[in-house]
Amino acid sequence: MIKVGIVGGTGYTGVELLRLLSQHPEVQLTAITSRKEAGMPVAEMFPSLRGRVDLCFSTPEDAKLTECDAVFFATPHGVAMAQAKELLAAGVKILDLAADFRLKDTAEFEKWYGMPHACPEILAEAVYGLAEINREAIKKARVIGLAGCYPTSVQLGFAPLISPKSTGGKKLIDLNSLISDSKSGVSGAGRKAEVGTLMAEASDNFKAYGVKGHRHHPEICQGLSAIAGGQSVGLTFVPHLTPMIRGIHSTLYARILPDGKDVDYQSLFEKFYAGEPFVDVMPAGSTPETRSVRGSNALRIAVHRPQGGDTLVILVVEDNLVKGASGQGVQCLNLMFGLPEKTGLSHIALLP
Amino acid sequence: MIKVGIVGGTGYTGVELLRLLSQHPEVQLTAITSRKEAGMPVAEMFPSLRGRVDLCFSTPEDAKLTECDAVFFATPHGVAMAQAKELLAAGVKILDLAADFRLKDTAEFEKWYGMPHACPEILAEAVYGLAEINREAIKKARVIGLAGCYPTSVQLGFAPLISPKSTGGKKLIDLNSLISDSKSGVSGAGRKAEVGTLMAEASDNFKAYGVKGHRHHPEICQGLSAIAGGQSVGLTFVPHLTPMIRGIHSTLYARILPDGKDVDYQSLFEKFYAGEPFVDVMPAGSTPETRSVRGSNALRIAVHRPQGGDTLVILVVEDNLVKGASGQGVQCLNLMFGLPEKTGLSHIALLP
Amino acid sequence: MIKVGIVGGTGYTGVELLRLLSQHPEVQLTAITSRKEAGMPVAEMFPSLRGRVDLCFSTPEDAKLTECDAVFFATPHGVAMAQAKELLAAGVKILDLAADFRLKDTAEFEKWYGMPHACPEILAEAVYGLAEINREAIKKARVIGLAGCYPTSVQLGFAPLISPKSTGGKKLIDLNSLISDSKSGVSGAGRKAEVGTLMAEASDNFKAYGVKGHRHHPEICQGLSAIAGGQSVGLTFVPHLTPMIRGIHSTLYARILPDGKDVDYQSLFEKFYAGEPFVDVMPAGSTPETRSVRGSNALRIAVHRPQGGDTLVILVVEDNLVKGASGQGVQCLNLMFGLPEKTGLSHIALLP
Amino acid sequence: MIKVGIVGGTGYTGVELLRLLSQHPEVQLTAITSRKEAGMPVAEMFPSLRGRVDLCFSTPEDAKLTECDAVFFATPHGVAMAQAKELLAAGVKILDLAADFRLKDTAEFEKWYGMPHACPEILAEAVYGLAEINREAIKKARVIGLAGCYPTSVQLGFAPLISPKSTGGKKLIDLNSLISDSKSGVSGAGRKAEVGTLMAEASDNFKAYGVKGHRHHPEICQGLSAIAGGQSVGLTFVPHLTPMIRGIHSTLYARILPDGKDVDYQSLFEKFYAGEPFVDVMPAGSTPETRSVRGSNALRIAVHRPQGGDTLVILVVEDNLVKGASGQGVQCLNLMFGLPEKTGLSHIALLP
């Protein structure tokens, strides 16, 4: 059994880790920390766990995290990087659900997250946690900066169009005018008391936000550029707050270049994701629904070329808390410890 | 492996059976019928099942149901009773999610369901599928009439107050003035195209219905009377349509009689349900939430006596499609085939 | 034109007052205060008011409230009573949407609101703002303690059964075992940043709260007792949080006494509310929907006697922010200033 | 008073017309037809109208529509064109909320709506009902084909960028690569009993639809081309079903051409819509919310140029049933009868 600790379990990614890990056959949950709620049974905060998870929140001191095999950080930005060094020294593997180990450029990190990076040397070795792209590196990693929720959907949606493995190096689409019109359920904003995500504000309502600039923009560009073999990428990214609890739907737009005029995009996507346990390329003409992945680690994609024109439309859905966060974390954990990638991730989406 | 067929899989209890049974370690799904959709992959209608259930809907003829060990009916009322005789003759066990085998009085059945009963002799041997009450009989049954969604919540909420096992024969509450104010999510109305349950009608809205009389009223009264050792029962039952997908919340009211003045109701409930795998008596003062059981077979109860007065308030939550339907069915299936009762029912509720 | 000021306009009752009063033909809005947001245009906080309300929030000092004809308090409990004396001295009429002038018993006020009452002498003269019950007193009042949202629905639902005007002094129902099972949309919790009313927590979910005791319980009992001519009243009140924005649905239960066996309750209700501009007694057999009053000052009632038995069921719907708060305030304002009661309150509910 | 009849009042645009017209100071509602529901009071179908609209549905024969001054068609496609000739002959003005008089090319009409056009000569004189674009023509029109819900948002969003009045004939953006990523609430699908818009299917869910082709695509292209002075237009249009009742949010993307590099787009939009009674160009940096126009005829726009790059992002919100349908109809009616354009359209949006 892999001994796993969770730092910061009072948010939505925390409770989702508890749901997934408490049913994982190879994991033993040893501690979950919350300085503020230390002593409270987690099942008191999250009644869905009554009878299923007996842990109480503990202080970081009591949690003895250095005795774990792996530690998840389900914390605000900045926490993981402050504790990474000590844990690594103790031989503990780290999976961070926040952004501390995502952006390779520390200046970019500081610009978007408002703090200097505490451990650039660990950042340098950290692997970006998106298994479909970085599987082999993840297997060997000590530190994972898990891909963000929006970035997962956007990168996996564009990857078959830009990865040299897929394109053979041809320029199928214009890398400088990519568009991602993304819609997220409100759980993406976390379990923080804020007026903007009150039900009386956010339900029966729809709006864009972060149009000027969103923290996931540099992360997506970094990732797409890496997938594209280092080419620079120009992306317009517009996130929207959607009146539902879970789910991300990214509608991606790409302009086809001359080399891409005669490509069979359905085949291209199917080949690229052949054998992937969690990516489902849907039949031509499909329109995936967010509820089809609610509670599951699946990500579904459909590719369209309306009227056979020059604009490709890629539709991507995922559960922001599973494939966009905690499920992705468990998927990486499985890889890091040599387990079959699907272990503990067999949940079928809840529909209706 | 138990070979299981499903008759009528295009509704919500059908897809929920598929979710539960396809992950059940001792079950082999052999057929799912829909005359109308014969030939269509179930995963085309329910994309949550893509990659997880490979069955296509088949005609009843092609389904070879007589070769099954057990058959679920997830059909409109009247279908199961028409096919029961042939299946029983072939040694197949029957679990009906509709009402064909719930009401023991055929006149009552005809009054509420508008058709004569096709097989009173099978009805006579059928066992009411509510495991917490009828566990031993279910183990030996050939035909189960599974308890309805509302009735499950109301009966399990009142049972500790009226069962002689619990009360020692004392009259703790007035059996003639019971009240159940019940609220159900819209999936309870099924997957039928109707104006009243369109999202534009039912969301951001709340209303009662069926106040004059609801089909579940005689079922609840029959069940409560049986639990109470045959005493007659007077119940006011008011169901309400609630703007959520899943979940039932029944708020029960009972008048305490002199013999019930000094009872410790928290203990009474805890004792009655001690050891039950799916009934969770919450700590004193709790207010259970429907989301705490979303997708799980748990049913949670809290008992209150406001201001120490003469009115007991019992709060009960369940997922109408799981403990109120398909999960209850799997629970009974496990009992009928000698499996541990929790087999295949370990899902933790999806929260948020 | 009546010069009206609003103290505390950043909550939902505040923006609702702005919606109603800015379209009121006899009202001139002169000031709206918020110390915290002073200087901000109200239309910046509430974009629905762009182009319709040009006011900025002002400090209480700048608002010159003593020059108003009337002042609404849309504030937390305790604010109105601190400022009432000065305003009354300046001849300003006061309408308080909070609880400062509801409970006549200062000990009860202190028990439920956790502070001593600042001006018992003003409380003594204050009139309870429920026009259908206190119309004449409201016309002459200087200070109105507007009825709470739940209490409005419960009192108007029970009134025809207990008011001597209606019953001729007969005891139709048992006053000691009244039950109100009430359901409120989330806007009832106000525009405060709290985890419990986040959309990710409160949507697709249903739960009771405040079962042990709720501040509206003593208010309702006081009101019912007054309506019943001073008889004491025993009420079980269970409020529930419902996943919708606006609306209250109270399901009321009463036990019929011998004198009530032969009463035509439909007629009783219709007579009691004949001529009332905002109370709609629906035809026999109706089940009112909360959306039928969304945004309007109407309150709809239906009375049922299931199976002709001994339990009456009364269904009441209102918009908690209109008839349950701000609309009720405008209705009282009209009465206080001799205007037709419906002035500025002609909005038709928004459906769908 | 203008005598107005409504053909087909049982859908959402019908009830919305009733809400608006019954409060319109210059309109007398004379008839509302529904062959199926003839004789039923409209307030029985739509309880929001109880006490406010006394009409019953009548047969077309009883409705005496030829005695009206104007008739609205809130019907399926094909109805208005069948009755137009007779009404025009009687001097009745026609406003069609369906698509019979939108597409000028009868072949396109037949392609998308599956029926030949019944009266091409009337189609030829019909005016497209989008007041901000066609105000003068509407004033003189006998027949209005009211703009569709999506098309209203998309055309008004792009208009300032492409109208020669605004651009002085310069090519600011690439007309051949326009993108509209549009999101609509479920009321856009109408009040038809369909599985796809059941609350259990559509709530807590998000999906695209009609990606291959949508009836509004040719309408939008025709309109944009007309606004652009006859230039052809290439548009990718992806509509999405959004889990809310009302509201459309169109997120528009346009590529800036060299002539558009140095334009102040905020000013461009503000100038173009200066004086418009219902179009609100929001301050720079704004993100409009659909709820800010819920129930009102306002349409709000914000224009963004993320990171000063080459892609413009225009955000547009409207209430699909008001500015996208019935409110637009009333706005045109006012123009046709020489009334101030805002008459009867002063509703403030319902927030929250």
Side-chain angles (χ1 to χ4, degrees):
Chain A
M1 299 292 273
I2 307 164
K3 281 185 273 180
V4 174
I6 300 173
V7 179
T10 63
Y12 293 138
T13 55
V15 63
E16 196 66 355
L17 278 175
L18 289 168
R19 180 176 73 96
L20 299 174
L21 293 174
S22 66
Q23 297 182 98
H24 191 293
E26 304 291 337
V27 162
Q28 180 191 355
L29 269 174
T30 61
I32 178 159
T33 74
S34 166
R35 194 174 294 281
K36 193 177 161 199
E37 307 295 350
M40 178 198 278
V42 293
E44 195 174 314
M45 178 172 286
F46 301 117
S48 54
L49 302 174
R50 282 179 58 84
R52 307 302 298 275
V53 176
D54 291 332
L55 285 174
C56 293
F57 292 110
S58 61
T59 62
E61 294 73 27
D62 291 344
K64 299 187 183 170
L65 296 172
T66 53
E67 298 175 12
C68 290
D69 299 308
V71 166
F72 281 92
F73 284 87
T75 47
H77 311 299
V79 176
M81 66 186 184
Q83 303 183 24
K85 198 169 181 180
E86 183 191 355
L87 290 172
L88 288 181
V92 182
K93 297 185 180 183
I94 293 172
L95 299 105
D96 181 27
L97 288 157
D100 295 9
F101 299 109
R102 291 177 186 165
L103 295 178
K104 287 299 178 184
D105 181 334
T106 54
E108 280 283 298
F109 177 83
E110 184 161 354
K111 173 181 167 191
W112 289 98
Y113 294 94
M115 59 185 96
H117 203 286
C119 50
E121 72 292 353
I122 298 178
L123 175 61
E125 79 158 280
V127 173
Y128 187 61
L130 188 56
E132 289 75 11
I133 303 300
N134 288 338
R135 183 166 283 117
E136 295 312 312
I138 291 166
K139 289 180 182 172
K140 290 172 276 183
R142 298 195 305 163
V143 182
I144 301 287
L146 285 156
C149 53
Y150 285 126
T152 296
S153 67
V154 183
Q155 290 172 78
L156 295 186
F158 279 130
L161 300 170
I162 64 176
S163 165
K165 284 183 241 170
S166 173
T167 64
K170 286 190 184 169
K171 298 205 169 192
L172 308 184
I173 59 166
D174 179 8
L175 279 178
N176 293 312
S177 65
L178 302 177
I179 292 173
S180 176
D181 189 289
S182 294
K183 300 88 176 173
S184 175
V186 294
S187 63
R191 194 170 165 275
K192 292 182 300 287
E194 287 185 351
V195 169
T197 45
L198 290 177
M199 182 167 172
E201 302 278 315
S203 84
D204 213 54
N205 189 29
F206 190 89
K207 67 168 183 177
Y209 66 100
V211 185
K212 283 185 188 174
H214 185 284
R215 290 167 169 185
H216 285 174
H217 189 267
E219 179 186 342
I220 298 169
C221 290
Q222 170 186 286
L224 289 177
S225 181
I227 294 168
Q231 300 174 75
S232 76
V233 159
L235 170 75
T236 300
F237 172 58
V238 181
H240 301 76
L241 189 64
T242 305
M244 59 187 180
I245 298 178
R246 288 173 180 243
I248 280 180
H249 185 292
S250 284
T251 311
L252 310 179
Y253 300 90
R255 292 177 54 229
I256 297 175
L257 295 180
D259 272 3
K261 297 286 183 206
D262 301 322
V263 173
D264 175 345
Y265 288 99
Q266 181 69 25
S267 292
L268 189 87
F269 274 69
E270 289 178 358
K271 275 181 207 155
F272 190 78
Y273 287 120
E276 278 296 340
F278 296 112
V279 179
D280 173 24
V281 177
M282 298 185 73
S286 297
T287 49
E289 306 181 62
T290 57
R291 64 178 183 149
S292 78
V293 296
R294 181 162 48 209
S296 98
N297 201 49
L299 175 146
R300 303 193 200 277
I301 304 183
V303 56
H304 291 258
R305 188 175 177 180
Q307 289 96 40
D310 286 350
T311 303
L312 274 180
V313 178
I314 304 104
L315 311 173
V316 187
V317 298
E318 65 174 31
D319 184 321
N320 56 304
L321 296 179
V322 190
K323 183 57 182 165
S326 302
Q328 184 129 271
V330 175
Q331 188 181 354
C332 289
L333 181 82
N334 288 339
L335 290 170
M336 294 166 90
F337 286 86
L339 300 173
E341 198 165 333
K342 297 168 78 166
T343 311
L345 290 172
S346 64
H347 310 78
I348 293 179
L350 205 63
L351 178 160
Chain B
M1 299 290 273
I2 308 166
K3 282 186 274 181
V4 174
I6 301 174
V7 179
T10 63
Y12 293 139
T13 54
V15 63
E16 196 67 355
L17 278 175
L18 289 168
R19 181 176 73 95
L20 299 174
L21 293 175
S22 66
Q23 300 181 97
H24 191 292
E26 304 292 336
V27 163
Q28 180 191 355
L29 268 174
T30 62
I32 177 160
T33 75
S34 165
R35 196 175 293 281
K36 193 176 160 199
E37 307 294 351
M40 179 198 275
V42 294
E44 197 174 312
M45 178 173 285
F46 301 117
S48 53
L49 302 174
R50 282 178 58 83
R52 305 303 297 276
V53 175
D54 292 331
L55 285 174
C56 292
F57 291 111
S58 61
T59 62
E61 293 73 28
D62 292 346
K64 299 186 186 172
L65 296 172
T66 52
E67 298 176 13
C68 291
D69 298 308
V71 167
F72 281 93
F73 284 87
T75 47
H77 310 299
V79 176
M81 65 186 184
Q83 303 183 23
K85 198 168 180 180
E86 183 190 356
L87 291 173
L88 287 182
V92 182
K93 297 187 179 181
I94 294 172
L95 300 104
D96 182 27
L97 288 157
D100 295 9
F101 300 109
R102 291 176 186 165
L103 294 177
K104 288 298 178 185
D105 181 333
T106 55
E108 280 283 299
F109 176 82
E110 186 163 351
K111 173 182 169 193
W112 289 98
Y113 294 93
M115 59 185 95
H117 203 284
C119 50
E121 72 291 354
I122 299 179
L123 176 61
E125 78 158 279
V127 172
Y128 188 59
L130 188 55
E132 289 75 11
I133 303 299
N134 288 338
R135 185 167 283 118
E136 295 312 311
I138 290 167
K139 288 179 183 174
K140 291 173 276 183
R142 297 195 305 163
V143 183
I144 300 287
L146 285 156
C149 54
Y150 285 125
T152 296
S153 67
V154 183
Q155 291 173 78
L156 295 186
F158 279 129
L161 300 170
I162 64 176
S163 165
K165 284 182 241 171
S166 174
T167 63
K170 286 190 183 168
K171 297 206 172 193
L172 307 184
I173 60 167
D174 179 6
L175 277 179
N176 293 312
S177 65
L178 303 177
I179 291 173
S180 176
D181 189 290
S182 294
K183 300 88 176 173
S184 174
V186 293
S187 63
R191 193 169 166 274
K192 289 182 302 290
E194 288 185 349
V195 169
T197 45
L198 290 177
M199 181 167 172
E201 301 279 315
S203 84
D204 212 55
N205 189 31
F206 190 89
K207 66 168 183 177
Y209 67 99
V211 185
K212 283 185 188 173
H214 186 283
R215 290 169 169 183
H216 284 173
H217 188 268
E219 180 185 342
I220 298 170
C221 290
Q222 170 187 285
L224 290 177
S225 181
I227 294 168
Q231 298 174 75
S232 75
V233 159
L235 170 75
T236 300
F237 172 57
V238 181
H240 301 75
L241 189 64
T242 306
M244 59 187 180
I245 297 178
R246 288 173 180 242
I248 280 180
H249 185 293
S250 284
T251 312
L252 311 178
Y253 300 90
R255 293 177 53 227
I256 297 175
L257 295 179
D259 272 2
K261 297 285 183 208
D262 301 322
V263 173
D264 176 346
Y265 288 100
Q266 181 69 25
S267 293
L268 189 85
F269 273 69
E270 289 178 359
K271 275 180 207 156
F272 190 77
Y273 286 120
E276 278 297 339
F278 296 112
V279 179
D280 173 23
V281 177
M282 299 185 72
S286 297
T287 50
E289 305 180 62
T290 58
R291 65 176 183 150
S292 77
V293 295
R294 181 162 48 207
S296 97
N297 201 49
L299 175 146
R300 303 194 200 278
I301 303 183
V303 57
H304 290 257
R305 188 176 177 179
Q307 288 97 41
D310 285 350
T311 303
L312 274 181
V313 178
I314 304 104
L315 312 173
V316 187
V317 297
E318 65 175 29
D319 184 322
N320 56 305
L321 297 179
V322 191
K323 182 58 182 165
S326 302
Q328 185 127 273
V330 175
Q331 188 180 354
C332 288
L333 181 83
N334 289 339
L335 289 170
M336 294 166 90
F337 286 86
L339 300 172
E341 198 165 333
K342 297 168 78 166
T343 311
L345 290 172
S346 63
H347 311 78
I348 293 179
L350 205 62
L351 178 161
Chain C
M1 300 291 273
I2 307 165
K3 282 187 273 181
V4 174
I6 301 173
V7 179
T10 63
Y12 293 140
T13 54
V15 63
E16 196 66 355
L17 279 174
L18 289 168
R19 180 176 74 95
L20 299 175
L21 293 174
S22 66
Q23 299 181 97
H24 191 293
E26 304 292 336
V27 162
Q28 181 191 354
L29 269 174
T30 62
I32 178 159
T33 74
S34 165
R35 193 175 295 281
K36 193 176 160 199
E37 307 295 352
M40 179 198 278
V42 292
E44 196 174 315
M45 178 172 286
F46 301 117
S48 54
L49 301 175
R50 282 179 58 83
R52 305 303 298 277
V53 176
D54 291 332
L55 286 173
C56 292
F57 291 110
S58 60
T59 61
E61 294 73 27
D62 291 345
K64 300 186 182 170
L65 297 172
T66 53
E67 298 175 13
C68 290
D69 298 308
V71 166
F72 281 93
F73 284 86
T75 47
H77 310 299
V79 176
M81 65 185 184
Q83 303 183 24
K85 197 169 181 179
E86 183 191 355
L87 290 173
L88 287 182
V92 181
K93 297 185 180 184
I94 293 172
L95 299 104
D96 181 28
L97 288 157
D100 294 10
F101 299 110
R102 291 176 186 166
L103 294 178
K104 288 297 178 186
D105 181 334
T106 54
E108 280 283 297
F109 177 83
E110 185 162 353
K111 173 182 167 190
W112 288 99
Y113 295 93
M115 59 185 96
H117 203 284
C119 49
E121 71 292 354
I122 299 178
L123 176 60
E125 77 157 281
V127 172
Y128 187 59
L130 188 55
E132 289 75 11
I133 304 299
N134 288 339
R135 185 166 282 117
E136 295 311 312
I138 290 166
K139 289 180 182 173
K140 291 173 275 183
R142 297 195 306 164
V143 182
I144 301 287
L146 285 156
C149 53
Y150 285 126
T152 296
S153 67
V154 183
Q155 290 172 77
L156 295 187
F158 279 129
L161 300 170
I162 63 176
S163 166
K165 285 182 240 171
S166 173
T167 63
K170 286 190 184 167
K171 299 207 169 190
L172 308 184
I173 60 166
D174 180 7
L175 278 178
N176 294 313
S177 65
L178 302 177
I179 292 174
S180 176
D181 188 290
S182 295
K183 301 88 175 172
S184 175
V186 294
S187 63
R191 195 169 165 274
K192 292 182 299 290
E194 287 184 350
V195 169
T197 46
L198 289 177
M199 181 168 172
E201 301 279 315
S203 83
D204 213 55
N205 189 29
F206 190 89
K207 66 167 183 177
Y209 66 99
V211 184
K212 282 185 189 174
H214 185 284
R215 290 167 169 186
H216 284 174
H217 189 268
E219 179 187 342
I220 298 170
C221 289
Q222 169 186 286
L224 290 177
S225 181
I227 293 168
Q231 299 174 76
S232 76
V233 160
L235 170 76
T236 300
F237 172 58
V238 181
H240 300 76
L241 188 64
T242 305
M244 59 187 180
I245 298 178
R246 288 173 180 243
I248 280 180
H249 186 294
S250 284
T251 311
L252 311 178
Y253 300 89
R255 292 177 54 228
I256 297 176
L257 295 180
D259 271 1
K261 296 284 182 206
D262 300 322
V263 173
D264 176 345
Y265 288 100
Q266 181 69 24
S267 292
L268 190 86
F269 274 69
E270 288 178 359
K271 275 181 208 154
F272 189 77
Y273 286 121
E276 278 296 339
F278 296 113
V279 179
D280 174 23
V281 177
M282 298 184 74
S286 297
T287 49
E289 305 181 63
T290 57
R291 64 177 183 149
S292 77
V293 296
R294 181 162 48 207
S296 97
N297 200 50
L299 175 147
R300 303 194 200 277
I301 304 184
V303 57
H304 290 257
R305 188 175 177 180
Q307 288 98 41
D310 285 350
T311 303
L312 275 181
V313 178
I314 303 105
L315 312 173
V316 187
V317 298
E318 65 175 29
D319 184 322
N320 56 304
L321 296 179
V322 190
K323 183 58 183 164
S326 301
Q328 185 129 272
V330 175
Q331 188 180 354
C332 289
L333 181 83
N334 289 338
L335 290 170
M336 294 165 90
F337 286 86
L339 299 173
E341 198 166 332
K342 296 168 78 166
T343 310
L345 289 172
S346 63
H347 310 79
I348 293 178
L350 205 62
L351 178 160
Chain D
M1 299 291 272
I2 306 166
K3 282 186 273 181
V4 174
I6 301 174
V7 180
T10 63
Y12 293 139
T13 55
V15 63
E16 196 66 356
L17 279 175
L18 289 168
R19 180 176 73 95
L20 299 175
L21 293 174
S22 66
Q23 298 181 99
H24 192 293
E26 304 292 336
V27 163
Q28 179 191 354
L29 268 174
T30 62
I32 178 161
T33 75
S34 165
R35 195 174 293 281
K36 193 177 159 200
E37 307 295 352
M40 178 198 277
V42 294
E44 196 173 313
M45 179 173 285
F46 301 117
S48 53
L49 301 175
R50 281 179 57 84
R52 305 303 297 276
V53 176
D54 292 332
L55 286 174
C56 292
F57 291 111
S58 61
T59 62
E61 293 73 27
D62 292 344
K64 299 186 185 170
L65 297 172
T66 53
E67 298 175 12
C68 291
D69 298 309
V71 166
F72 281 92
F73 284 86
T75 48
H77 311 299
V79 176
M81 66 186 183
Q83 303 183 22
K85 197 168 179 180
E86 183 191 354
L87 290 173
L88 287 181
V92 182
K93 296 186 180 182
I94 293 172
L95 299 105
D96 181 28
L97 288 157
D100 294 10
F101 299 110
R102 290 176 186 165
L103 293 178
K104 288 298 179 183
D105 181 333
T106 54
E108 280 283 298
F109 178 82
E110 185 161 351
K111 173 182 167 191
W112 289 97
Y113 294 93
M115 59 185 95
H117 203 284
C119 50
E121 72 292 352
I122 298 178
L123 176 61
E125 77 158 281
V127 172
Y128 187 60
L130 189 55
E132 289 75 11
I133 303 299
N134 287 339
R135 185 167 282 118
E136 295 312 312
I138 291 166
K139 288 180 183 173
K140 291 173 276 183
R142 297 195 305 162
V143 183
I144 300 288
L146 286 157
C149 53
Y150 285 127
T152 296
S153 67
V154 183
Q155 291 173 76
L156 295 186
F158 279 130
L161 300 170
I162 64 176
S163 165
K165 284 182 242 171
S166 173
T167 63
K170 285 190 185 168
K171 297 205 173 192
L172 308 184
I173 60 167
D174 179 7
L175 278 179
N176 294 312
S177 66
L178 302 177
I179 291 172
S180 176
D181 189 291
S182 294
K183 301 89 176 172
S184 175
V186 294
S187 63
R191 195 169 164 274
K192 290 183 300 289
E194 288 184 349
V195 169
T197 45
L198 289 177
M199 182 167 171
E201 301 279 316
S203 84
D204 213 54
N205 189 31
F206 190 90
K207 66 167 182 176
Y209 66 100
V211 184
K212 283 184 187 173
H214 186 284
R215 290 168 168 183
H216 284 174
H217 189 267
E219 179 186 342
I220 298 170
C221 290
Q222 170 187 286
L224 291 177
S225 181
I227 295 168
Q231 299 173 75
S232 75
V233 160
L235 170 75
T236 300
F237 173 57
V238 182
H240 301 75
L241 189 64
T242 306
M244 59 186 180
I245 297 178
R246 288 173 180 242
I248 280 181
H249 186 293
S250 284
T251 312
L252 311 178
Y253 300 89
R255 294 177 53 228
I256 297 175
L257 295 180
D259 272 3
K261 297 284 182 207
D262 301 322
V263 172
D264 175 345
Y265 288 99
Q266 182 68 26
S267 294
L268 189 86
F269 273 69
E270 289 178 358
K271 275 180 206 156
F272 189 78
Y273 286 120
E276 279 297 339
F278 295 112
V279 179
D280 173 24
V281 177
M282 298 185 73
S286 297
T287 49
E289 305 181 64
T290 58
R291 65 177 183 150
S292 78
V293 296
R294 181 162 49 208
S296 96
N297 201 49
L299 176 147
R300 303 194 200 277
I301 304 183
V303 56
H304 290 258
R305 189 176 177 178
Q307 288 96 41
D310 285 350
T311 302
L312 275 180
V313 178
I314 304 104
L315 311 173
V316 187
V317 297
E318 65 175 27
D319 185 321
N320 56 304
L321 296 180
V322 191
K323 182 59 183 166
S326 302
Q328 185 127 273
V330 175
Q331 188 180 354
C332 288
L333 181 83
N334 289 338
L335 290 170
M336 294 165 90
F337 286 85
L339 300 172
E341 198 165 333
K342 297 168 78 166
T343 311
L345 290 172
S346 63
H347 311 78
I348 293 179
L350 205 62
L351 180 160

